[in-house]
Amino acid sequence: MKKFRKVLDGLTTSSPGGTMGSPSCGSAAGTPTAAPTPKEIDVQETLVSENFQLCKTVRHGFPYQPTSLAFDPVQKILAIGSRSGGVRILGRPGVDCYCQHESGAAVLQLQFLINEGALVTACADDTLHLWNLRQRRPAVLHSLKFNRERITFCHLPFQSKWLYVGTERGNTHIVNIESFILSGYVIMWNKAIELSTKTHPGPVVHLSDSPKDEGKLLIGFEGGTIVQWDLRAKKADFRIYYDEAIHSVSWHHEGKQFMCSHSDGSLTLWTLRNTTKPFQVTFPHGKIQKDGRKESCKPILKVEYKTSRSSEPFVIFSGGLSYDKAGRRPALTIMHGKAITVLEMDYPIVEFMVLCETPYNNEVQDPYAVVVLLEKDLIVVDLTQSNFPVFENPYPMDIHESPVTCTAYFADCPPDIIPILYSIGAKNKKTGYSHKEWPIGGGTWTLGSHTYPEIIITGHADGSIKFWDASAFTLQMLYKLKTSKVFEKPKPGEGRAAELGEEDPFAVQMVSWCPHSRIFCVVGISAHIILYRFSKYDANTQIVSLEVRLQCEPEDIITPSENENNPCFSEPGSHSPQPHHQHPLSPGSRTPDGAKDSIPCLKVKDKMVRVPPGYQSDLVIQLLWVDGEPPQQITSLDLNSAYGLLAFGNCNGLAVVDYLQKTVILCISTLDLYGATDPYQRLTRSPRRNRQSTSEHCMRGLSNFYSDSKKRIRTSYQSLTELTDNQQSIDMERSKSPTSDHVNGHCTSPTSQPCSAGKPRIPMGPEGPRLTRRGPGRPPFRKAQSAACMEISLPVSHTEESRENSFSRSRSSSVSSIDRDTKEAITTLQFGESYGRKSDALPTPCLWVGTSLGVGILIPLSIPTDHEERMEDPVTVGPSGAVQMLKGSVLRFGFLDCNGALIQSPYEVWRDLNAPEDPDRTRRRKLVHFSPSSSQDAFGEGHLAVVCSERQAKVFLMPSQSCLFVHNITESSFVLRADVVSLCNSVCLACFCANGHVMTLSLPSLRPLMDVNYLPLTDMRIARTFCFTNEGQALYLSSPTEIQRITYSQEMCDNLQEMLGELFTPIETPEAQNRGFLKGFFGGNAHTFDREELFGEAAAGKASRSLAQHIPGQGGVEGMKVAASGAVGELARARIALDERGQRLGELEERTALMMTSAETFSKHAHELMLKCKDKKWYQF
């Protein structure tokens, strides 16, 4: 614990860290404030650096860019490999593990050691890895790197410790799984084929042991050659040469025949009695054309041939469709007897695997399901029912159903919110699923002791919102909301608003949610805001719409008098509006200037609509087009249910809406927020020469400008599905300039939305006209703002000189003069109880406003307290009070009392407005306030305000507005996300920087507690979706389809093992069926085959050391420590000890072999010397 004391005696605006006061409190400068006597601020901080540790917890969603699939039929767990080197292992709901290869190489193939708790992965860098799954966090035990050959296929027989590895050269190597060392036994390609063959057979594409005899290995080469190799005799039993390339091979369980799939869309069936020609050739999807020839078909990439006791065999394959039908979707075909069923898929098939009852390949297989891995989905088909229904997937695999554009994370929610959302969402679930239990049910998972309600909200490009239950490291969809239902569908030729119809006009940009009042607010890409209220009853409602003209710009006004005198806002209570004022519009109205330009981007439904239970739209707010320019995107939002107010801002200004009375109470430009307290001395511009001529020049210039830059703009907001994982936009270089200058009239701050897309500047010389308007008919780029990328400024000219001329001045607070047309965006808003002026004795409702120039403005509000008055009397806005200055864009406000405790924003207790009338229950609003003075002995004690910007954090004492603590967070980068969060019954400031650092600072002293370089390179997707929440948790979108959750709490890291699921559970391996006397007598000597005799070092010798390199894994000791706390700790410890003992024995054997070699050499030399000297006499020496 540490005490921080600050003596406050007659604080003035010139005190260290002090800020400028507003005019209303300027007279009080140098005079005592509400706390006239010296007072100590005693804050005992309990958080220390030992409370923090950063680690990943769990990953949700569909594996991005999957490549391979494997299934353990005894443990019933599934593994999926990906192109980025990741492996997801799935069991029953709650058992979900993510592993990552350090190399990042794509996973080519996966092989379970069935019922052994281990997994072999073959990667694109020609390395084999052995993963230990007997611990909650799997680790690599061994690795084997091939140096001279490329791995193409692997096969591990059931209950065998020898892995067959096929290579691109056509050779087959054998690896000991226990020691991960190559055997000296090698099947060379030139030995496998006949000597008379003139061509190379190609890479090995298939390896499998015969079900009839384990001593026979079937090798399939890509060129069409199939060889059955006798492992004992070291020769080929038979060779098959086929004209078409082979993609896969599958045995019949009796081992007398097998099936191959080929590149021409055919299936061939071969019997071991006659291998000169196929027993049967079929083209499942190849029809006979009029000329008698078969139509050409696509390759059949994989086939599985499975027998069943109760019915005909199953032949299941992917591909093979005819070429002539364009637009056909990928399909999985199931041939069962004479019936052929084609299951069309939404995405290309990556891999599929048939699930069978037995792990033995020489028994009747009895398939019961088929797992199909698609590029963007995972489905499991029920084979036990004739209509082949799909199992309902319990995993959250549809996060990316529409690209994710924003995220929000809420920990420690009200306990009743999750059951209510689930009950509403369950009514809209899809039907038609299989009634059987999900077949992937391996592992164990129990609810940990450190659990609390958590909700994740994702916004999507199609305008949908998804609420997820994220409690206890799981993820389950609760409720889905479609915001597009509020609007009419855009129709072609309907006007400029319709131009957005092709590019996701409903995409969600940000959300704001009050869990206590259940009020939900959505900001869309088309400059629209929708406010929702929650109800358990359906209702008929008329959607109320407000249209706001927030496009006021000083440079748009021509005459000097207008430029100097006309403000850009008006309040509803104003009785003497100026001629050029644009009043907030009433719902559905249009400006008298003409409906052509004063229209919103989208059209709200104007008829009564029936809304189901759940979130129901209460108010729609839209910004209007002005003079042919679309509205700028909304950059900040906040709502407060206790006040009944909603505030939002963009590059042009700020608007405050009373959603109870459905009126706009404030619509003001950013410049006019300051009044006379503007901290920047902005230069005025001379008036334009001629508005018409400027407009004409604008049209001519834009025709050339857009032809050059249109393609560049389109690269900025690509759909998540089209992005590569290593994409880095121009904003990566921009991270070196944390003050985020304005380039070409665009706000390039990484924390802001594209703010002045309509203000490109073309240098024309000192006296030439300036291009100040986008031009009619050019809406801004409206592609769904994918969370995977950030803004890219418009390149006007390619020359270095013009690029330098296009820069505006820096936003740093050290600049004393700023160009007047520099856009100052509203970057953050926060309602709360505070002191609007230094002279205030009691806290009142206020709105804190943060701008992109590092300015924090405090606006006092006057809200009627009586219920009837609140619904009738207007809310009034006072003149701006406090003004604070920071470096970089303001990102976050937070409030503490003088004891250092977090002050929550007041809220309204939820009430169902559609509930039936109850005379015993009042319909009045019930408010919950957290006043700063509620925990203090005397009024006027004040509170602490935490303000964090891109580069700096400050703590102010209110109402004196004096700066108590300052901390420069970063000098070389900038903060992307900052939040004041609660942790361990205390509070801290959590920050995520563009250079990948995650930091926490104590409050109020701003001492650094943790600084971890979490990400080596900043990914723009992560930058857009990273968010902190309470209890030491955070999340981000690690790929377009996956959410990664992390924790920065030491307590949660310590309890992580008990909260994760167990992948391995001790299960008895099923016994093989009794084969009977005759089958055992005539079925060959499969059970007498000893691989150790053939592949062991004694028989086969050692492989060349240059062929492959053994790399010991780092997971042995760590795995033992982790597994010691589990049910299989002793077993895991013994296995690791055996591995280490085997490794030591191997080293001992090598040393022994060297000693034997030297002894033999010595013996040889001694023998030669003896022979040379035995006939000599003693005197001849």
Side-chain angles (χ1 to χ4, degrees):
M1 297 185 183
K2 192 172 182 180
K3 287 189 177 182
F4 298 94
R5 299 184 178 181
K6 183 82 173 181
V7 178
L8 311 174
D9 46 353
L11 288 166
T12 67
T13 54
S14 60
S15 62
T19 57
M20 298 183 183
S22 63
S24 58
C25 57
S27 59
T31 60
T33 60
T37 58
K39 179 73 178 177
E40 286 187 346
I41 301 294
D42 294 344
V43 178
Q44 297 189 352
E45 297 183 353
T46 58
L47 288 178
V48 293
S49 58
E50 286 73 20
N51 295 122
F52 296 91
Q53 181 184 346
L54 190 69
C55 68
K56 295 180 180 179
T57 54
V58 69
R59 181 173 292 206
H60 303 297
F62 180 77
Y64 184 55
Q65 295 179 331
T67 55
S68 52
L69 185 69
F71 182 71
D72 187 328
V74 179
Q75 289 289 322
K76 295 191 181 302
I77 55 176
L78 185 78
I80 301 173
S82 69
R83 193 177 300 174
S84 60
V87 179
R88 283 283 290 280
I89 305 173
L90 303 169
R92 69 176 66 248
V95 178
D96 188 341
C97 179
Y98 174 77
C99 315
Q100 176 67 45
H101 292 90
E102 291 184 1
S103 65
V107 180
L108 299 179
Q109 198 174 353
L110 299 165
Q111 285 279 325
F112 274 107
L113 276 66
I114 296 176
N115 205 28
E116 292 288 333
L119 175 70
V120 175
T121 60
C123 296
D125 60 350
D126 307 307
T127 306
L128 298 174
H129 303 274
L130 178 65
W131 292 82
N132 178 21
L133 306 184
R134 292 175 178 249
Q135 56 195 61
R136 294 178 189 256
R137 292 209 152 184
V140 174
L141 291 175
H142 299 285
S143 297
L144 187 66
K145 168 75 173 174
F146 280 75
N147 296 322
R148 296 186 299 186
E149 298 195 52
R150 305 296 306 272
I151 299 173
T152 56
F153 195 86
C154 297
H155 171 63
L156 179 65
F158 179 46
Q159 293 181 327
S160 169
K161 68 175 184 179
W162 299 96
L163 174 73
Y164 301 114
V165 181
T167 68
E168 192 176 33
R169 292 186 180 180
N171 303 324
T172 302
H173 301 274
I174 301 171
V175 179
N176 188 320
I177 290 297
E178 293 179 349
S179 61
F180 240 57
I181 296 176
L182 269 179
S183 167
Y185 193 111
V186 183
I187 306 173
M188 305 299 290
W189 68 271
N190 54 353
K191 301 291 185 183
I193 64 174
E194 292 178 339
L195 294 176
S196 59
T197 306
K198 297 180 180 179
T199 59
H200 190 279
V204 176
V205 295
H206 177 80
L207 292 168
S208 62
D209 50 334
S210 170
K212 188 177 180 181
D213 187 352
E214 294 177 348
K216 305 293 179 66
L217 182 68
L218 193 69
I219 307 173
F221 297 93
E222 187 181 60
T225 302
I226 300 174
V227 177
Q228 179 167 290
W229 185 262
D230 190 331
L231 294 169
R232 302 183 193 85
K234 298 183 180 180
K235 65 183 183 69
D237 284 347
F238 63 82
R239 299 178 177 92
I240 295 173
Y241 299 97
Y242 196 65
D243 296 336
E244 295 294 334
I246 294 174
H247 286 280
S248 68
V249 183
S250 182
W251 279 100
H252 187 280
H253 80 276
E254 292 179 350
K256 298 178 181 179
Q257 58 185 11
F258 57 87
M259 185 174 289
C260 301
S261 67
H262 300 278
S263 58
D264 63 346
S266 65
L267 296 173
T268 56
L269 185 65
W270 300 82
T271 62
L272 301 190
R273 291 181 179 179
N274 182 13
T275 58
T276 58
K277 63 178 182 178
F279 176 76
Q280 184 181 15
V281 180
T282 57
F283 288 82
H285 296 295
K287 298 179 181 179
I288 300 177
Q289 298 176 343
K290 293 181 180 180
D291 56 1
R293 292 186 303 175
K294 291 273 186 181
E295 61 181 349
S296 58
C297 296
K298 299 176 182 179
I300 295 179
L301 301 178
K302 183 178 180 181
V303 63
E304 292 219 26
Y305 186 19
K306 302 296 182 184
T307 54
S308 175
R309 284 188 180 87
S310 59
S311 63
E312 304 256 350
F314 285 88
V315 177
I316 303 172
F317 63 89
S318 61
L321 298 176
S322 59
Y323 279 107
D324 61 343
K325 294 183 180 179
R328 290 191 68 171
R329 295 194 292 179
L332 183 79
T333 305
I334 302 175
M335 299 172 63
H336 188 212
K338 295 183 179 180
I340 299 180
T341 304
V342 179
L343 304 178
E344 289 190 338
M345 304 294 169
D346 293 331
Y347 307 102
I349 298 174
V350 175
E351 173 75 284
F352 75 89
M353 183 166 289
V354 179
L355 309 187
C356 302
E357 295 289 351
T358 175
Y360 297 95
N361 65 345
N362 57 359
E363 297 180 357
V364 179
Q365 300 297 289
D366 279 331
Y368 58 90
V370 55
V371 180
V372 187
L373 178 64
L374 308 177
E375 277 191 1
K376 297 179 182 178
D377 202 1
L378 176 74
I379 65 171
V380 181
V381 180
D382 187 355
L383 295 179
T384 61
Q385 301 183 43
S386 58
N387 59 340
F388 303 126
V390 175
F391 288 92
E392 184 176 6
N393 196 330
Y395 313 127
M397 294 290 185
D398 57 346
I399 293 175
H400 62 286
E401 183 179 14
S402 176
V404 179
T405 52
C406 73
T407 58
Y409 192 9
F410 300 87
D412 208 7
C413 299
D416 59 338
I417 191 69
I418 290 180
I420 289 178
L421 286 174
Y422 181 80
S423 63
I424 298 295
K427 298 176 183 177
N428 300 321
K429 279 195 172 182
K430 297 179 180 179
T431 58
Y433 293 110
S434 172
H435 299 295
K436 293 195 172 183
E437 188 179 355
W438 178 253
I440 306 167
T444 56
W445 179 78
T446 56
L447 196 65
S449 57
H450 297 76
T451 59
Y452 40 83
E454 298 174 75
I455 287 182
I456 295 173
I457 300 176
T458 56
H460 300 265
D462 63 352
S464 60
I465 303 285
K466 292 182 181 179
F467 290 77
W468 306 84
D469 177 11
S471 308
F473 288 164
T474 62
L475 196 69
Q476 181 182 12
M477 230 251 288
L478 295 173
Y479 175 72
K480 183 177 179 179
L481 174 67
K482 295 182 179 179
T483 63
S484 59
K485 290 186 175 181
V486 174
F487 303 100
E488 302 282 356
K489 290 184 179 179
K491 298 177 181 179
E494 198 178 51
R496 288 182 186 145
E499 295 181 27
L500 311 177
E502 299 176 357
E503 300 173 354
D504 301 322
F506 309 114
V508 178
Q509 199 170 0
M510 66 181 75
V511 297
S512 180
W513 186 45
C514 177
H516 300 282
S517 62
R518 301 180 190 172
I519 291 179
F520 184 61
C521 201
V522 179
V523 174
I525 201 80
S526 299
H528 65 271
I529 300 173
I530 310 173
L531 187 138
Y532 290 91
R533 287 180 179 270
F534 188 84
S535 175
K536 295 189 290 185
Y537 305 91
D538 55 0
N540 291 318
T541 181
Q542 176 81 38
I543 301 174
V544 181
S545 175
L546 281 179
E547 295 175 351
V548 179
R549 190 181 179 93
L550 193 59
Q551 196 81 4
C552 309
E553 301 172 4
E555 67 266 30
D556 283 345
I557 304 173
I558 303 173
T559 63
S561 59
E562 290 175 345
N563 203 14
E564 296 298 330
N565 300 328
N566 280 0
C568 295
F569 69 97
S570 64
E571 298 181 20
S574 176
H575 298 288
S576 57
Q578 298 294 326
H580 289 271
H581 281 184
Q582 298 297 342
H583 293 274
L585 301 176
S586 59
S589 68
R590 296 289 185 268
T591 62
D593 298 338
K596 182 177 181 181
D597 288 327
S598 297
I599 60 172
C601 296
L602 301 171
K603 184 179 180 182
V604 179
K605 292 180 179 178
D606 54 2
K607 58 183 179 181
M608 294 288 291
V609 292
R610 183 79 175 174
V611 289
Y615 273 104
Q616 302 167 353
S617 58
D618 186 63
L619 177 65
V620 177
I621 305 168
Q622 291 182 283
L623 299 185
L624 298 175
W625 287 60
V626 177
D627 296 333
E629 289 191 21
Q632 299 297 332
Q633 293 177 7
I634 295 167
T635 58
S636 56
L637 171 76
D638 192 39
L639 67 88
N640 188 280
S641 57
Y643 302 159
L645 299 179
L646 181 151
F648 63 93
N650 64 5
C651 296
N652 293 324
L654 167 71
V656 181
V657 174
D658 183 345
Y659 66 79
L660 296 178
Q661 299 185 24
K662 307 295 191 295
T663 59
V664 180
I665 62 173
L666 181 67
C667 183
I668 185 172
S669 70
T670 313
L671 181 60
D672 291 308
L673 275 173
Y674 299 103
T677 64
D678 190 352
Y680 297 111
Q681 301 297 320
R682 303 174 196 254
L683 298 179
T684 57
R685 291 192 178 279
S686 53
R688 298 176 185 170
R689 296 179 179 179
N690 187 303
R691 187 182 184 99
Q692 181 63 29
S693 63
T694 305
S695 177
E696 290 174 356
H697 173 75
C698 170
M699 292 300 296
R700 290 196 302 271
L702 281 180
S703 62
N704 298 326
F705 165 69
Y706 274 100
S707 63
D708 178 66
S709 62
K710 186 174 181 180
K711 293 181 181 178
R712 300 173 184 269
I713 307 171
R714 297 292 174 181
T715 62
S716 175
Y717 299 103
Q718 292 293 336
S719 173
L720 281 176
T721 57
E722 301 169 359
L723 289 170
T724 58
D725 203 32
N726 59 355
Q727 177 186 10
Q728 297 178 8
S729 67
I730 306 172
D731 300 277
M732 285 288 294
E733 299 178 4
R734 204 176 291 145
S735 65
K736 298 177 182 177
S737 175
T739 54
S740 306
D741 298 288
H742 292 257
V743 183
N744 297 332
H746 289 260
C747 176
T748 59
S749 167
T751 55
S752 305
Q753 306 304 325
C755 49
S756 60
K759 300 294 170 190
R761 261 190 279 165
I762 298 180
M764 297 292 295
E767 298 297 326
R770 296 166 58 97
L771 178 64
T772 57
R773 195 174 296 281
R774 171 180 290 104
R778 275 295 176 185
F781 181 61
R782 293 291 184 178
K783 187 70 178 175
Q785 184 166 352
S786 161
C789 62
M790 299 185 61
E791 303 79 23
I792 297 179
S793 58
L794 300 179
V796 176
S797 175
H798 300 288
T799 63
E800 196 70 30
E801 181 181 1
S802 62
R803 190 181 300 116
E804 292 174 358
N805 292 338
S806 65
F807 275 81
S808 298
R809 300 199 180 186
S810 171
R811 299 186 315 173
S812 171
S813 58
S814 62
V815 178
S816 61
S817 176
I818 288 189
D819 202 32
R820 179 138 189 166
D821 71 347
T822 299
K823 290 291 185 179
E824 184 176 6
I826 306 295
T827 54
T828 185
L829 296 165
Q830 180 71 53
F831 285 105
E833 301 280 318
S834 188
Y835 300 85
R837 295 166 187 82
K838 291 184 178 181
S839 57
D840 289 350
L842 295 175
T844 57
C846 293
L847 173 63
W848 289 74
V849 181
T851 76
S852 57
L853 294 186
V855 180
I857 308 168
L858 184 56
I859 301 177
L861 306 170
S862 177
I863 303 174
T865 55
D866 183 74
H867 177 71
E868 285 76 14
E869 292 179 355
R870 177 64 187 87
M871 303 305 296
E872 296 176 0
D873 295 350
V875 175
T876 57
V877 180
S880 301
V883 175
Q884 285 91 23
M885 298 291 300
L886 289 90
K887 298 178 182 178
S889 296
V890 179
L891 301 180
R892 186 66 59 194
F893 295 108
F895 310 113
L896 311 176
D897 62 21
C898 288
N899 291 327
L902 185 65
I903 301 175
Q904 301 288 346
S905 297
Y907 63 86
E908 175 190 1
V909 178
W910 174 71
R911 56 196 178 102
D912 198 334
L913 298 180
N914 297 333
E917 294 289 343
D918 187 355
D920 298 333
R921 182 181 300 175
T922 177
R923 299 297 297 270
R924 299 173 64 89
R925 300 173 70 223
K926 182 179 179 181
L927 308 182
V928 177
H929 286 270
F930 301 92
S931 174
S933 59
S934 59
S935 61
Q936 308 297 323
D937 297 332
F939 281 32
E941 180 89 15
H943 71 92
L944 304 176
V946 182
V947 188
C948 183
S949 72
E950 288 179 340
R951 297 183 61 183
Q952 198 176 48
K954 289 185 178 183
V955 176
F956 298 92
L957 177 66
M958 304 300 291
S960 65
Q961 304 174 18
S962 58
C963 181
L964 300 183
F965 302 99
V966 182
H967 179 73
N968 292 323
I969 300 174
T970 177
E971 294 294 339
S972 59
S973 184
F974 52 86
V975 179
L976 290 166
R977 181 78 187 205
D979 281 292
V980 178
V981 295
S982 60
L983 176 68
C984 300
N985 296 320
S986 188
V987 64
C988 66
L989 177 65
C991 303
F992 174 62
C993 292
N995 58 8
H997 283 248
V998 178
M999 294 179 284
T1000 57
L1001 306 173
S1002 68
L1003 288 177
S1005 65
L1006 299 177
R1007 286 182 301 112
L1009 297 174
M1010 181 188 72
D1011 187 352
V1012 178
N1013 188 6
Y1014 176 60
L1015 298 169
L1017 291 176
T1018 302
D1019 190 314
M1020 289 305 126
R1021 181 191 310 108
I1022 298 173
R1024 297 286 310 185
T1025 58
F1026 199 103
C1027 50
F1028 294 99
T1029 189
N1030 296 328
E1031 308 301 333
Q1033 295 208 69
L1035 65 79
Y1036 59 90
L1037 210 65
S1038 58
S1039 75
T1041 61
E1042 295 169 288
I1043 291 176
Q1044 177 69 59
R1045 292 167 67 179
I1046 64 175
T1047 181
Y1048 48 95
S1049 165
Q1050 178 66 55
E1051 182 182 7
M1052 181 162 288
C1053 290
D1054 295 339
N1055 297 312
L1056 189 59
Q1057 294 300 325
E1058 81 168 85
M1059 301 179 74
L1060 296 175
E1062 291 258 13
L1063 291 173
F1064 179 80
T1065 53
I1067 301 174
E1068 284 289 332
T1069 302
E1071 295 183 0
Q1073 295 178 0
N1074 187 3
R1075 306 182 70 208
F1077 172 75
L1078 292 177
K1079 283 190 176 182
F1081 186 78
F1082 294 106
N1085 54 351
H1087 292 278
T1088 62
F1089 177 63
D1090 188 357
R1091 293 184 177 89
E1092 185 68 34
E1093 291 183 0
L1094 289 175
F1095 307 145
E1097 187 177 334
K1102 288 186 176 182
S1104 171
R1105 293 193 177 185
S1106 62
L1107 182 62
Q1109 175 188 0
H1110 176 258
I1111 305 171
Q1114 300 296 323
V1117 178
E1118 297 173 6
M1120 185 176 68
K1121 292 178 181 178
V1122 172
S1125 60
V1128 294
E1130 294 296 329
L1131 186 60
R1133 242 193 328 267
R1135 184 177 182 83
I1136 293 170
L1138 283 174
D1139 289 336
E1140 294 175 349
R1141 181 172 177 268
Q1143 186 175 349
R1144 289 195 296 270
L1145 285 174
E1147 295 173 355
L1148 180 61
E1149 287 176 358
E1150 289 182 1
R1151 290 196 296 268
T1152 305
L1154 289 173
M1155 291 175 64
M1156 290 179 62
T1157 303
S1158 61
E1160 289 176 359
T1161 304
F1162 178 78
S1163 174
K1164 181 179 177 182
H1165 288 307
H1167 183 69
E1168 291 174 352
L1169 184 62
M1170 183 269 292
L1171 292 176
K1172 182 179 179 181
C1173 301
K1174 72 175 183 176
D1175 296 330
K1176 291 184 178 182
K1177 303 297 181 180
W1178 62 271
Y1179 54 81
Q1180 292 178 327
F1181 286 98

